[in-house]
Amino acid sequence: MKLLEERILKDGVVLGANVLKVDNFLNHQIDPVLMEAMGNEFAAYFADKGITKILTVETSGIAPAVFAGLALGVPVVFARKHKSLTLTDNLYSSTVHSYTKNTTNTISISKNYLDETDTVLLIDDFLANGQAAKGLIDICQQASATISGIGIVIEKSFQRGRQELEEQGFDIYSLARIRAFEDGIVKFVEEKGNN
């Protein structure tokens, strides 16, 4: 997605060898115009998959997931990383390690919002090693829900996440695929469709 790639080049900041900071438009401050364009792109790609729900992990996946849900006309459910007074039992849960934050969290979704009748699109902000996607896949398997595909805002193609998920047979659509960080500059995978 050219618009997203341009924004990454303009406002993204490369930190070290493997981290891209995009808090100017995705992870802290959110650009709703860009989110709407991304949601429409996900909706167009997955339009014929019979999706009934979109799942993501709080917090950075919520904005693109909501705009995709709006475009597809389906609800969005986000896995919580922290328990609350209102989310204590009757849960599907999985453990997810965050590469960027170097933390492990238990993510949870209420059984009231996901079951075997659902056809699910998973959306996340980043794909690196695939841990968040694997956690959501685990939750969908616990619920016997069908996974129609995985939408990723930014994929770090030099890490193993895509390969491992494709080996499991999942359809992955990434809006921006990064080939490498070279001298602090983002280099994109150059292929038609970027998926």
Side-chain angles (χ1 to χ4, degrees), residues 138-149:
D138 180 35
I139 285 173
C140 287
Q141 290 170 340
Q142 291 174 48
S144 298
T146 301
I147 299 170
S148 63

Side-chain angles (χ1 to χ4, degrees), residues 24-43:
N24 181 279
F25 59 90
L26 178 63
N27 294 119
H28 194 52
Q29 176 172 268
I30 296 171
D31 180 337
V33 174
L34 179 59
M35 293 304 121
E36 181 179 32
M38 292 190 310
N40 291 339
E41 185 76 15
F42 284 133

Side-chain angles (χ1 to χ4, degrees), residues 15-169:
L15 302 174
N18 294 323
V19 177
L20 176 65
K21 184 176 176 182
V22 289
D23 62 348
N24 181 279
F25 59 90
L26 178 63
N27 294 119
H28 194 52
Q29 176 172 268
I30 296 171
D31 180 337
V33 174
L34 179 59
M35 293 304 121
E36 181 179 32
M38 292 190 310
N40 291 339
E41 185 76 15
F42 284 133
Y45 183 84
F46 291 105
D48 63 348
K49 302 284 188 174
I51 294 162
T52 62
K53 287 207 175 120
I54 295 176
L55 261 60
T56 191
V57 178
E58 70 175 349
T59 56
S60 298
I62 293 174
V66 166
F67 278 98
L70 181 65
L72 288 167
V74 299
V76 175
V77 179
F78 65 90
R80 291 182 177 234
K81 294 179 187 174
H82 307 286
K83 294 216 174 178
S84 72
L85 294 175
T86 61
L87 188 69
T88 56
D89 54 10
N90 200 31
L91 305 173
Y92 300 115
S93 296
S94 189
T95 303
V96 173
H97 180 76
S98 169
Y99 175 84
T100 308
K101 296 179 181 82
N102 195 26
T103 59
T104 300
N105 292 296
T106 298
I107 60 170
S108 302
I109 290 177
S110 170
K111 291 182 179 180
N112 296 330
Y113 303 117
L114 185 67
D115 61 38
E116 69 277 356
T117 65
D118 286 311
T119 300
V120 176
L121 170 61
L122 307 181
I123 290 187
D124 203 12
D125 60 339
F126 274 92
L127 174 60
N129 294 314
Q131 296 302 306
K134 289 175 188 174
L136 290 174
I137 290 164
D138 180 35
I139 285 173
C140 287
Q141 290 170 340
Q142 291 174 48
S144 298
T146 301
I147 299 170
S148 63
I150 302 171
I152 301 295
V153 176
I154 301 169
E155 174 188 330
K156 293 190 276 185
S157 298
F158 54 88
Q159 291 180 275
R160 292 192 41 82
R162 173 181 277 268
Q163 180 181 345
E164 291 179 10
L165 295 172
E166 284 181 335
E167 287 170 358
Q168 296 178 52

